[in-house]
Amino acid sequence: MSGSPAWAAAARDGPLGLRKSWTELLAGRVKKQKYDPEREQKLKDSALQLLRYHQNMNDLLLEVEDPQCKKLCLSKLIDCDSASAASDHSSSFIRSAFRDQASRLGVPVGLLSARVFACSVRQVCLEPSHPVLLSSEQRKKLSSLLEIARHLLAHNMFSRLTFCQELWKVQNSLLLEAVWSLHVHRVVSLQELLQSHPDMQAMTTWLFRNLCALCEQIEMPSPSSDATKAMLSGFVQLLVSSAFPQGSEPRLGEPEKMTRVATDVLQRMLTFALDTLDAGPQVTSAYQAARGWLSAYSGHACCGVIGADSHKRFFSHTLTQILTHRPVLKVSDAIQMQKEWSFAKTCQELTTLYCRVLVMLGPGESVGRLQEVLETQEVNWQYVLSCLSTLVVCFPEAQQLLKDWVASLMAHAFESYHLDSMVTAFLVVRQATLEGPFVFPSYADWFKESFGSSLGYHSCSKKALVFLFKFLSDLVPWEPPRYMQVHIFHPPLVPSKYHSLLTDYISLAKTRLVDLKVSVENLGLYEDLSSSGDVAEPQRQAMQDVEKAIMVFEQTGKIPMPVLEASIFRRSYYLSRFLPALLTPRVLPEVPDSRAAFIETLRRANKIPSSLYDAYCQACATAEEKQPEDATPGKRPEPDQAEQPLGLLTAALEELRALMTDPTQYDVMSAQVAVISERLSAALGHNSDDSSLRRSKIQLNVLNPTLQRQDQAVVDLLLTAFCQNLMAASSFVPPERQSPWAVLFVRILCGHVIFPAVLSRLCQLLYHQGPSLGAPHVLGLAALAVHLGESKSMLPEVDPGVLAPAGSLCVPEFLNSLLTCCTRESLLFCMKFCTAAISYCLCKFSTQPHAALQNCLSPGLIKRFQFIMLRVFSEARTPCPPEHTESLSWRPSNLPPADWQSAALSLWRWSSFQELLKEKEFYLTYRDWVQLELEIQPEVDILSDTERHDFHQWAIYEHFLPAPSALGGCDGDLEAAFTVLVSELMDFYQSSRSYNHSPDSDLVLGGRTGNEDILSRLQEMAVDLELDQGSSASYGCSASQSQILFRLFRRRLHALAKGHSTATSLRRQRELLICKRLLLRLPPSVLMGSPQTRQPVSPNCEEFFNLVNSELRNSCCHGSVLTHDITMHFFRGLLNVCFRSEDPALVANLTLTECQSKCPIILTSALLWWSSLEPVLCSRWKKCYQGALPRELQRLQEAREFASSLLSGSASPAPSPAWISAAALHFATREVRTENVRVHLKRLDYERKELLIFLLFFSLMSLLSSYLTQQDTAEHLKAMDICAEVLVYLGRRKVSWLVLFQLTETDAELGHLLHLAPDQHTRLLPFAFYRLLSYFSEDAIIKEEAFLHVAVDMYLKLMQLFVDGETRTVLPQASKRLKLQGSPVQLITEARTFLLQLIPQCPKQHFSNMRELLAGREDCDPEMSTVLLQRWQAGPSFDLYQEPHLF
């Protein structure tokens, strides 16, 4: 206060006209008078008494806020220097004033102060500048009032109840912010204020009106926006905690009225918001208020003082209110209109509200609440179904919950024939399928699964069938055509006796489709029956079918199955729609494109009528004649409208990128991604939800990936947008704090038919163009790979052809297979890509790094990164202290190409990453290292030859060899390292990973330096193992490297299924070829094995003998000999072993003697290659021992000399053993002219009969080889002549040769011959037997008792060969190449005729063992078996035919 007016006038008009202030007067009196404490106190009391009788309480409270007044009245009125003391004195003064006034009026001081303060608050709120907010001046005044009120409350001088009551009397003047300030400053709480209102309805209306006004201000920019949001949040928390108190009962002291008021306000606000949104998104004050209120449902606005139980009950109640808001739509309306309620077509504010409510409840509770509401209340189907779409789109885990719910609904419907459950199930399924196949299986798939088998819901009884078809029939007037087409083309499985129910429904549905002008016959081959789009025009649908069929044909090289099925079962559509669309006349390109190849394939398969194809060719020729000179052949003009959908897609992608830079817009990204999905379908020009392609395995041609021009444009746009979005989002926040835009974006790629094209484009970028990609592309594609891996369980597998010959790959493994390290550039690109992918994955999922790497990336990619780091950075090979940082930074802008190496090293040294590498699935094992190292092309390697050699030495001998096997090492076992290296070499040379591999080239081993480097390591290991073997042989230590090697060969060959099919045979031949060539690259001592411990010491060749007898023998192209290289390798090894022994001749003789009984083909091979083998053997032996060859080698030498002398005319006795001499003679006759063979063979008349038998055997093998190897006619006739001559000489000397066709392993004299011929030759002996039929002696065959037995056995085996198809490998090829007459059937007919003529001529004793011979084989030729058994049982007078004529 400034004093009374009288005092001011006296001061102004006093003596001398001086004007002194009240402060100066007091100061003067203090100086003139002595200090007297008693007088001072009296003066103060007098002043206070004067003020008490002249004060106005309302003016007093308003006046104290003025700083100047406060300074005068409260600071200078009393003598005090302390600010706190001044405050105490002012408060004391106000308390005294209220006490005096209350005493004078006779009312309680609390009541007086409450009324005064209510009146003061009203005065502050007068003349508001805003319906609910205070101005800055008003806030200052109210702040001072609130400070005094709190002081009075502290001294129990303020009645809250009276204050609230007084305020409500002037509620029309109250501003909501003033009420909020009372609550914030703890003068009176909102609960107390609202509870004190006398009229609940009026208070509800006042609060609703003010909240609407407050919500209008939420999104308006203003200095007080934060305070506005805090106010709204506070009111929401109050209302929620009051409407849904913690626990089942209301809180103590809180009236039931407050609960009803809060509930009513919340319901009115939500109803207002929903009604406003229903009216349309118009920019009005009501629309702004609705948006502001819906923002209050976010987690940060609703959380705080509210308990978890209240929180969840509130959102559960909110969901119920939404679902039941104005239930005016019928089920029939929902069936007709639900396609308009998909996620993409629902307004953004509503989907955001759904997301916020569903996030708070969780998918499980949300589905449960949906189920409960649908069972107990009338619902608004639009809100129910749009909420369902939001649930399945934004919460992948809800998909299975929905499937389970639908299954329970269907089970309940057919158990109790409950129609409501049936309706709910169908609506739920159809709504979920609207969101695409990646979100939920198509409606066609669900309908087939539910009703298309004997296990369907309807299969329990006739009543269930009637219930189903009654329900489907009731749907017909309302449902869209798509669903009726599904029911027609995938009808329920119905027993035949109830088939009339199905036919009646199909007739009804077809009638309805006719009314809707939708043709069932014109349904496209690839048309998605569950799509929500309109039915396409027949011509347009046919063009879409053609484009998709060509796309599938490009990927598979085969006619698509839907096309084949249509050509048979839907011939009308195929001929009238599909083929005319396919055979549209055009100018044919010079190089046939995919369309031309597809048409040609259909023509060869007789799927195009010749008249239609001729007309097409004629039309194309006419079009070519009319073609303008500047036109491009094969190119069709594109309509102008084709660019419009792509432009809309581009605009939608740009809008999404704009949202990346605004964190406040994260909530709308889901809706924007849904818009992109819609635009993508339009840009593709065909249905993007083709479930048949989605479920099938994706086949790609990795070596030559191709895309259609339109698909490539769309894919490039999507991939570019993803990379740009990633860079934009990462420039603001790290990956772990970004919105789930990337996951939603990847779902678009995976849920459309464009996904195969995406993979093809990734194949082009990563496999073919990787080194040329810039840093943004590498970062973006790496992040895309992470998110594709995150969704791998829902993606189809990929068959990349040559990259995975064993089968298909999951998407992460496929992407890893596209990364190669063969050149310097590709290795550096792999380093960049792996660094980016791993870093992004660890940052994006920083809370669970191990699970992220395991689920999102292929372990192969992690191993590849380790391989690159160890190979490129020498510092990575030595342990270094890890960098202990809390997290890995992800800053794409700081990763220029020059800094990739430092980024890779930082990731490598990160302690958390090193810990992750200790997980078993991420170990870089020795086998992994070998696989990756084999891909390197040395001529373009990042390492020099010396560096590469040093790296190999470190990796094998320092890193992997001593490492424990549990960590991927070899436990110090050189044999294990040797085995792995051999195995991986064999795998590599058979796979497309071999960089000199091409699909049409022959197998080439070790053709380049890269192979030589690894082979050099293998040879080094072999030498080390041989040295170890030599030092440990005397102690009987571990197996030699030869045993290790042959065990590996045996295991790999055994893993290949044995069989006579061409494919199996080729696989085994390829595997065996690699085995042999590896043997040739290793020291020849490997073939000898470890020395035996017995005396005299000799090599142990058992393993090599087994390989020869079981495998190499069957790959012989010459019939009875091994190839020259392996033969020479064996004898070089034999010489090496002999030279290291004490008795070389004895070792050689023992080894070769063992060959005669265990592996005779080695000796026959030596005879064939003797001309080149003998000089080497003689030279090396003489250099070391100056003596003659060992005795067994001399036998071979003598056999060759015998054959040479016989052909030169100076015959000498054949040396023993006879089979070796016969082999030498057989090989010698192959070198002379055909006309001289007979002359030379005449000199054998005096040779032992064994020699002739063995010679006939080798001649038979040569005859069969001439058929199998398709030699020329002269060689074949020469082999026939030799066989004939030998038969003549055997017949002349009365020597039986039939034993050659009855060879067994147990035959002591001739059993070893089975080891001299391939198994195929032995199986084909029946063919040779009947080919030589004309050379048999008639008298001999009738007289020889065993002939009939052998002839019948050969005939039955020939029949079995025909059944097994093996005769095709001989006769058709031979007949064509050698110009022979006959076929398998003709040969069998001749053999049968011969036997039927022979049987009557043979005595009865020739049939003695016929029943045993026919046992189990009577079905081969029942008539022949009957004749033979009748002849065996008949008497002497039995005569089947008249006198036979055998020849």
Side-chain angles (χ1 to χ4, degrees):
M1 295 188 303
S2 58
S4 66
W7 294 341
R12 184 173 59 251
D13 302 330
L16 303 179
L18 296 178
R19 300 178 60 185
K20 295 184 179 180
S21 67
W22 178 252
T23 304
E24 292 173 337
L25 290 174
L26 291 177
R29 293 182 62 84
V30 169
K31 292 179 181 179
K32 294 176 181 179
Q33 299 179 9
K34 294 182 178 180
Y35 175 71
D36 186 353
E38 293 182 2
R39 190 173 183 279
E40 180 183 10
Q41 186 61 39
K42 290 180 180 181
L43 181 61
K44 289 181 180 179
D45 293 341
S46 299
L48 288 174
Q49 186 177 7
L50 178 64
L51 292 174
R52 284 173 187 157
Y53 287 101
H54 294 85
Q55 66 178 346
N56 184 310
M57 300 303 299
N58 294 334
D59 294 340
L60 176 65
L61 294 177
L62 293 176
E63 190 180 54
V64 295
E65 65 87 21
D66 187 359
Q68 297 299 326
C69 296
K70 180 183 292 186
K71 178 179 179 182
L72 174 63
C73 299
L74 302 180
S75 298
K76 297 300 181 179
L77 186 61
I78 54 177
D79 184 15
C80 183
D81 297 330
S82 170
S84 60
S87 177
D88 292 340
H89 284 293
S90 63
S91 301
S92 174
F93 167 74
I94 294 174
R95 290 198 307 270
S96 299
F98 273 113
R99 286 194 191 99
D100 292 343
Q101 186 78 2
S103 176
R104 188 167 56 254
L105 296 175
V107 296
V109 65
L111 185 65
L112 175 62
S113 62
R115 290 176 177 175
V116 171
F117 268 86
C119 184
S120 299
V121 171
R122 176 181 174 278
Q123 292 180 20
V124 170
C125 294
L126 290 176
E127 299 180 0
S129 59
H130 191 275
V132 292
L133 301 180
L134 297 169
S135 65
S136 59
E137 187 71 19
Q138 288 172 321
R139 288 193 185 97
K140 291 164 63 176
K141 291 181 178 181
L142 184 61
S143 176
S144 300
L145 282 175
L146 297 178
E147 184 178 352
I148 297 173
R150 290 180 60 188
H151 180 77
L152 293 177
L153 278 171
H155 290 80
N156 201 20
M157 295 176 63
F158 189 83
S159 173
R160 282 194 176 95
L161 179 59
T162 304
F163 178 68
C164 294
Q165 293 172 350
E166 293 296 324
L167 277 182
W168 286 128
K169 292 178 181 179
V170 293
Q171 70 176 25
N172 292 331
S173 301
L174 279 180
L175 295 179
L176 192 64
E177 186 178 355
V179 176
W180 171 249
S181 298
L182 293 173
H183 172 78
V184 171
H185 291 82
R186 300 179 183 178
V187 173
V188 59
S189 67
L190 289 174
Q191 290 92 333
E192 293 176 291
L193 190 62
L194 297 178
Q195 290 167 17
S196 63
H197 200 290
D199 187 352
M200 183 179 68
Q201 186 64 35
M203 190 262 287
T204 301
T205 303
W206 178 85
L207 187 56
F208 168 72
R209 184 180 66 253
N210 280 273
L211 284 176
C212 288
L214 177 64
C215 290
E216 290 183 33
Q217 306 300 315
I218 291 298
E219 295 188 357
M220 292 185 179
S222 67
S224 59
S225 59
D226 292 339
T228 305
K229 293 178 181 178
M231 284 173 56
L232 179 61
S233 177
F235 276 105
V236 170
Q237 292 177 11
L238 166 68
L239 294 172
V240 171
S241 59
S242 299
F244 305 95
Q246 189 73 10
S248 59
E249 297 294 334
R251 288 179 293 185
L252 184 62
E254 180 176 322
E256 186 67 24
K257 181 180 74 172
M258 185 59 199
T259 301
R260 292 197 302 270
V261 168
T263 304
D264 190 19
V265 172
L266 289 173
Q267 289 181 345
R268 290 183 65 176
M269 291 299 298
L270 182 58
T271 300
F272 160 75
L274 294 176
D275 289 341
T276 303
L277 293 180
D278 283 342
Q282 301 176 358
V283 183
T284 61
S285 60
Y287 181 71
Q288 293 291 343
R291 285 175 55 92
W293 177 253
L294 295 181
S295 68
Y297 286 87
S298 60
H300 66 84
C302 295
C303 295
V305 298
I306 307 176
D309 181 63
S310 299
H311 197 251
K312 186 154 288 188
R313 287 164 56 205
F314 163 64
F315 279 101
S316 179
H317 177 80
T318 300
L319 180 59
T320 302
Q321 185 181 350
I322 295 172
L323 301 179
T324 57
H325 176 69
R326 304 198 189 283
V328 295
L329 295 174
K330 301 178 181 179
V331 170
S332 58
D333 299 325
I335 294 173
Q336 289 178 295
M337 302 170 61
Q338 68 178 134
K339 69 177 182 179
E340 302 298 329
W341 302 334
S342 65
F343 181 82
K345 295 181 180 180
T346 303
C347 71
Q348 176 183 326
E349 291 77 15
L350 196 55
T351 56
T352 303
L353 174 62
Y354 289 146
C355 287
R356 288 170 174 172
V357 173
L358 297 175
V359 164
M360 294 302 172
L361 293 178
E365 189 168 343
S366 300
V367 172
R369 194 62 183 162
L370 271 169
Q371 183 176 357
E372 181 182 349
V373 171
L374 287 171
E375 290 175 355
T376 59
Q377 302 184 48
E378 292 292 329
V379 296
N380 185 319
W381 282 108
Q382 179 179 359
Y383 289 126
V384 169
L385 297 179
S386 59
C387 178
L388 193 70
S389 287
T390 305
L391 183 64
V392 296
V393 168
C394 299
F395 301 90
E397 59 270 27
Q399 298 169 15
Q400 186 59 45
L401 297 174
L402 281 184
K403 293 178 183 178
D404 297 340
W405 179 25
V406 169
S408 66
L409 285 171
M410 294 296 294
H412 180 257
F414 281 92
E415 285 174 2
S416 56
Y417 304 103
H418 190 249
L419 186 61
D420 288 347
S421 296
M422 194 81 158
V423 170
T424 303
F426 270 73
L427 285 174
V428 168
V429 168
R430 291 181 178 184
Q431 190 67 27
T433 57
L434 289 177
E435 305 306 330
F438 186 75
V439 173
F440 202 85
S442 69
Y443 179 74
D445 290 343
W446 175 82
F447 193 81
K448 286 187 292 184
E449 182 181 355
S450 301
F451 305 107
S453 68
S454 59
L455 301 177
Y457 298 106
H458 64 298
S459 60
C460 55
S461 64
K462 178 183 178 181
K463 187 176 180 180
L465 278 173
V466 173
F467 175 68
L468 172 63
F469 285 108
K470 175 65 168 59
F471 171 75
L472 294 179
S473 300
D474 291 341
L475 292 180
V476 167
W478 317 107
E479 64 182 344
R482 289 290 189 192
Y483 299 113
M484 286 185 282
Q485 289 176 334
V486 170
H487 302 159
I488 293 173
F489 284 96
H490 306 291
L493 181 64
V494 178
S496 56
K497 58 183 178 180
Y498 303 129
H499 201 67
S500 61
L501 295 172
L502 176 60
T503 56
D504 291 345
Y505 168 74
I506 291 178
S507 299
L508 177 64
K510 286 185 175 180
T511 303
R512 175 61 177 164
L513 290 174
V514 171
D515 295 340
L516 296 174
K517 299 181 181 180
V518 176
S519 174
V520 179
E521 298 299 327
N522 290 330
L523 183 69
L525 306 183
Y526 292 96
E527 191 167 357
D528 182 17
L529 297 179
S530 60
S531 172
S532 60
D534 296 330
V535 178
E537 292 294 329
Q539 294 81 2
R540 179 185 172 192
Q541 184 60 52
M543 291 301 299
Q544 293 175 2
D545 287 342
V546 168
E547 292 175 2
K548 195 165 296 185
I550 293 174
M551 180 180 66
V552 175
F553 176 76
E554 288 177 349
Q555 297 173 357
T556 64
K558 302 177 182 178
I559 300 175
M561 188 57 63
V563 178
L564 291 176
E565 293 175 352
S567 67
I568 301 172
F569 302 110
R570 300 187 58 201
R571 195 160 181 81
S572 175
Y573 173 80
Y574 179 75
L575 294 176
S576 63
R577 297 293 183 190
F578 181 80
L579 285 183
L582 176 64
L583 301 178
T584 302
R586 60 173 183 149
V587 178
L588 297 178
E590 296 180 1
V591 178
D593 57 5
S594 300
R595 178 183 287 262
F598 182 49
I599 293 173
E600 181 62 22
T601 303
L602 287 175
R603 186 191 66 81
R604 289 198 301 266
N606 295 323
K607 296 300 180 183
I608 301 179
S610 57
S611 59
L612 191 60
Y613 182 76
D614 293 341
Y616 166 71
C617 294
Q618 182 63 35
C620 291
T622 304
E624 185 173 2
E625 293 175 359
K626 298 179 179 180
Q627 179 189 11
E629 294 182 359
D630 58 345
T632 302
K635 181 178 180 180
R636 291 177 294 174
E638 298 292 336
D640 296 337
Q641 292 81 3
E643 297 299 328
Q644 185 178 2
L646 196 62
L648 294 175
L649 176 61
T650 304
L653 291 170
E654 290 176 353
E655 292 176 9
L656 178 64
R657 185 162 62 254
L659 295 176
M660 295 293 168
T661 60
D662 187 359
T664 63
Q665 298 295 318
Y666 282 176
D667 292 338
V668 304
M669 285 189 180
S670 297
Q672 184 61 30
V673 171
V675 172
I676 293 173
S677 179
E678 292 276 329
R679 302 274 178 89
L680 176 59
S681 300
L684 293 175
H686 49 69
N687 254 323
S688 61
D689 297 332
D690 192 342
S691 58
S692 62
L693 282 182
R694 179 183 60 85
R695 292 192 307 271
S696 63
K697 184 185 298 183
I698 298 176
Q699 295 182 331
L700 297 177
N701 183 2
V702 175
L703 298 180
N704 186 26
T706 57
L707 289 87
Q708 294 183 357
R709 189 180 68 85
Q710 182 184 17
D711 288 347
Q712 180 165 345
V714 174
V715 172
D716 285 347
L717 185 61
L718 292 172
L719 295 181
T720 302
F722 184 89
C723 296
Q724 292 174 345
N725 290 343
L726 178 75
M727 301 300 290
S730 300
S731 64
F732 282 86
V733 292
E736 66 272 19
R737 291 171 50 196
Q738 294 177 17
S739 69
W741 70 270
V743 177
L744 299 175
F745 197 99
V746 169
R747 286 182 186 174
I748 295 178
L749 303 180
C750 301
H752 286 75
V753 74
I754 197 68
F755 186 59
V758 172
L759 293 181
S760 296
R761 188 59 175 147
L762 288 176
C763 177
Q764 292 177 345
L765 295 173
L766 300 181
Y767 190 73
H768 295 278
Q769 305 172 22
S772 62
L773 297 178
H777 298 94
V778 174
L779 293 166
L781 295 179
L784 178 63
V786 171
H787 288 290
L788 287 174
E790 186 182 7
S791 305
K792 66 181 177 182
S793 61
M794 292 175 281
L795 296 177
E797 292 189 336
V798 183
D799 183 3
V802 295
L803 288 188
S808 56
L809 303 173
C810 64
V811 170
E813 292 291 346
F814 167 70
L815 295 177
N816 176 59
S817 69
L818 298 179
L819 304 175
T820 61
C821 302
C822 52
T823 67
R824 172 189 176 88
E825 291 76 15
S826 61
L827 185 138
L828 291 177
F829 167 71
C830 284
M831 181 194 70
K832 298 176 184 178
F833 188 88
C834 295
T835 302
I838 297 172
S839 300
Y840 179 82
C841 185
L842 294 177
C843 291
K844 182 69 175 177
F845 309 98
S846 56
T847 57
Q848 295 179 329
H850 173 262
L853 287 181
Q854 192 174 34
N855 297 331
C856 300
L857 294 178
S858 164
L861 186 140
I862 310 297
K863 296 177 181 180
R864 189 181 298 273
F865 177 72
Q866 297 177 65
F867 169 78
I868 295 172
M869 295 302 296
L870 295 175
R871 198 171 201 280
V872 176
F873 302 103
S874 58
E875 56 265 43
R877 303 172 195 171
T878 58
C880 61
E883 297 178 358
H884 297 281
T885 56
E886 294 183 0
S887 62
L888 191 67
S889 61
W890 170 261
R891 294 184 299 274
S893 59
N894 294 339
L895 282 178
D899 290 342
W900 279 107
Q901 295 186 5
S902 61
L905 283 172
S906 297
L907 173 61
W908 177 261
R909 293 168 179 165
W910 188 39
S911 58
S912 299
F913 180 68
Q914 288 296 326
E915 289 297 322
L916 290 174
L917 295 184
K918 296 179 181 179
E919 299 291 337
K920 185 175 182 180
E921 60 266 34
F922 300 142
Y923 290 163
L924 178 67
T925 65
Y926 173 61
R927 186 179 298 274
D928 298 327
W929 176 83
V930 173
Q931 292 174 355
L932 293 168
E933 187 64 32
L934 283 170
E935 296 180 6
I936 301 297
Q937 298 180 21
E939 60 273 17
V940 285
D941 188 11
I942 195 172
L943 300 179
S944 64
D945 291 343
T946 303
E947 290 173 336
R948 186 167 53 256
H949 179 270
D950 293 342
F951 173 61
H952 287 175
Q953 294 293 324
W954 172 86
I956 295 176
Y957 295 103
E958 296 184 37
H959 186 65
F960 290 109
L961 183 61
S965 58
L967 299 179
C970 303
D971 285 326
D973 187 355
L974 191 60
E975 295 177 1
F978 180 83
T979 304
V980 170
L981 192 53
V982 172
S983 178
E984 291 305 320
L985 272 168
M986 297 181 69
D987 288 339
F988 177 74
Y989 291 126
Q990 296 186 60
S991 71
S992 60
R993 294 186 299 121
S994 177
Y995 58 87
N996 57 1
H997 171 89
S998 63
D1000 302 322
S1001 64
D1002 295 331
L1003 178 64
V1004 178
L1005 180 66
R1008 294 191 180 182
T1009 311
N1011 298 341
E1012 295 292 343
D1013 286 348
I1014 299 299
L1015 284 171
S1016 298
R1017 307 293 86 78
L1018 183 67
Q1019 292 165 352
E1020 292 170 2
M1021 290 185 184
V1023 172
D1024 292 340
L1025 287 172
E1026 187 175 353
L1027 294 175
D1028 293 343
Q1029 168 194 337
S1031 62
S1032 60
S1034 58
Y1035 300 99
C1037 292
S1038 62
S1040 66
Q1041 80 272 23
S1042 63
Q1043 292 176 323
I1044 300 169
L1045 193 64
F1046 289 119
R1047 274 202 304 267
L1048 175 62
F1049 290 166
R1050 185 166 58 250
R1051 184 170 64 251
R1052 292 177 62 92
L1053 291 168
H1054 181 73
L1056 295 174
K1058 289 189 176 182
H1060 304 313
S1061 66
T1062 303
T1064 302
S1065 177
L1066 289 176
R1067 282 196 297 269
R1068 293 185 66 83
Q1069 288 181 24
R1070 183 177 64 179
E1071 185 78 13
L1072 187 61
L1073 180 60
I1074 292 191
C1075 292
K1076 187 183 76 170
R1077 290 188 171 177
L1078 274 178
L1079 285 176
L1080 296 175
R1081 300 304 296 268
L1082 292 174
S1085 56
V1086 171
L1087 305 184
M1088 298 294 105
S1090 58
Q1092 299 177 1
T1093 55
R1094 58 181 171 83
Q1095 295 296 330
V1097 176
S1098 63
N1100 183 8
C1101 303
E1102 289 290 338
E1103 295 288 349
F1104 178 65
F1105 290 167
N1106 290 335
L1107 180 67
V1108 171
N1109 291 328
S1110 62
E1111 303 296 342
L1112 292 177
R1113 173 175 58 87
N1114 292 318
S1115 65
C1116 295
C1117 57
H1118 298 285
S1120 302
V1121 292
L1122 302 174
T1123 56
H1124 178 269
D1125 50 8
I1126 196 68
T1127 305
M1128 292 291 294
H1129 208 57
F1130 173 81
F1131 280 95
R1132 281 197 295 266
L1134 177 61
L1135 290 179
N1136 292 342
V1137 172
C1138 290
F1139 296 156
R1140 292 201 301 267
S1141 65
E1142 296 180 357
D1143 192 343
L1146 180 59
V1147 170
N1149 290 332
L1150 290 175
T1151 304
L1152 295 177
T1153 302
E1154 191 176 13
C1155 285
Q1156 293 185 30
S1157 59
K1158 295 183 178 181
C1159 195
I1161 197 172
I1162 291 180
L1163 300 182
T1164 58
S1165 302
L1167 290 172
L1168 177 63
W1169 311 115
W1170 189 255
S1171 59
S1172 59
L1173 180 61
E1174 182 183 22
V1176 176
L1177 294 176
C1178 294
S1179 174
R1180 292 194 61 186
W1181 193 269
K1182 290 179 180 178
K1183 283 182 180 180
C1184 295
Y1185 295 101
Q1186 303 296 326
L1189 292 174
R1191 177 66 191 128
E1192 294 302 322
L1193 287 176
Q1194 290 181 22
R1195 289 182 188 276
L1196 300 177
Q1197 197 174 38
E1198 292 169 358
R1200 287 288 299 185
E1201 292 173 353
F1202 158 73
S1204 299
S1205 63
L1206 182 67
L1207 296 180
S1208 63
S1210 56
S1212 59
S1216 297
W1219 68 269
I1220 291 182
S1221 298
L1225 180 60
H1226 169 69
F1227 296 138
T1229 57
R1230 290 167 54 178
E1231 301 174 3
V1232 300
R1233 300 176 61 180
T1234 304
E1235 55 269 20
N1236 297 331
V1237 171
R1238 186 175 291 106
V1239 177
H1240 298 315
L1241 292 181
K1242 289 181 179 179
R1243 302 188 181 96
L1244 298 177
D1245 285 344
Y1246 302 101
E1247 291 296 336
R1248 300 192 307 274
K1249 64 178 183 178
E1250 292 85 356
L1251 180 66
L1252 295 176
I1253 293 293
F1254 292 131
L1255 182 60
L1256 177 61
F1257 173 80
F1258 288 116
S1259 300
L1260 288 173
M1261 296 302 105
S1262 180
L1263 175 63
L1264 292 173
S1265 295
S1266 68
Y1267 283 108
L1268 292 172
T1269 58
Q1270 301 183 18
Q1271 296 176 1
D1272 57 23
T1273 306
E1275 289 297 326
H1276 165 72
L1277 294 177
K1278 180 178 179 180
M1280 289 286 290
D1281 290 342
I1282 294 176
C1283 291
E1285 288 298 324
V1286 175
L1287 283 175
V1288 169
Y1289 290 125
L1290 289 173
R1292 185 184 303 163
R1293 298 183 60 177
K1294 305 296 189 292
V1295 177
S1296 176
W1297 46 266
L1298 297 175
V1299 67
L1300 293 179
F1301 296 92
Q1302 296 176 303
L1303 293 174
T1304 61
E1305 293 280 355
T1306 58
D1307 191 339
E1309 295 183 1
L1310 301 177
H1312 65 280
L1313 293 180
L1314 293 175
H1315 296 297
L1316 287 170
D1319 292 339
Q1320 187 180 27
H1321 287 59
T1322 306
R1323 288 194 305 271
L1324 291 175
L1325 279 176
F1327 172 80
F1329 181 87
Y1330 281 103
R1331 271 299 178 192
L1332 296 172
L1333 194 63
S1334 59
Y1335 299 101
F1336 295 165
S1337 171
E1338 182 176 353
D1339 295 336
I1341 62 178
I1342 294 177
K1343 293 179 181 179
E1344 186 153 2
E1345 182 176 352
F1347 184 84
L1348 179 63
H1349 188 280
V1350 173
V1352 172
D1353 183 47
M1354 291 294 102
Y1355 172 73
L1356 296 176
K1357 290 181 178 179
L1358 184 63
M1359 289 288 292
Q1360 190 61 46
L1361 287 174
F1362 175 75
V1363 172
D1364 294 341
E1366 287 202 63
T1367 52
R1368 291 181 302 172
T1369 63
V1370 181
L1371 281 176
Q1373 297 177 359
S1375 299
K1376 182 177 179 180
R1377 180 74 179 270
L1378 305 178
K1379 301 180 181 180
L1380 300 176
Q1381 299 297 324
S1383 65
V1385 176
Q1386 182 178 350
L1387 180 64
I1388 292 173
T1389 303
E1390 293 177 358
R1392 191 172 187 273
T1393 302
F1394 170 78
L1395 283 177
L1396 291 176
Q1397 293 176 350
L1398 175 64
I1399 290 172
Q1401 291 293 313
C1402 295
K1404 185 176 181 178
Q1405 60 269 22
H1406 290 187
F1407 299 85
S1408 57
N1409 296 324
M1410 198 57 62
R1411 183 173 293 278
E1412 291 79 358
L1413 179 64
L1414 295 175
R1417 299 193 289 181
E1418 298 91 343
D1419 294 339
C1420 290
D1421 190 341
E1423 182 182 356
M1424 180 66 69
S1425 300
T1426 302
V1427 171
L1428 289 169
L1429 293 177
Q1430 287 178 353
R1431 180 69 179 91
W1432 171 62
Q1433 296 171 352
S1437 61
F1438 177 83
D1439 188 10
L1440 181 62
Y1441 295 105
Q1442 296 179 353
E1443 185 69 21
H1445 179 69
L1446 299 182
F1447 306 105

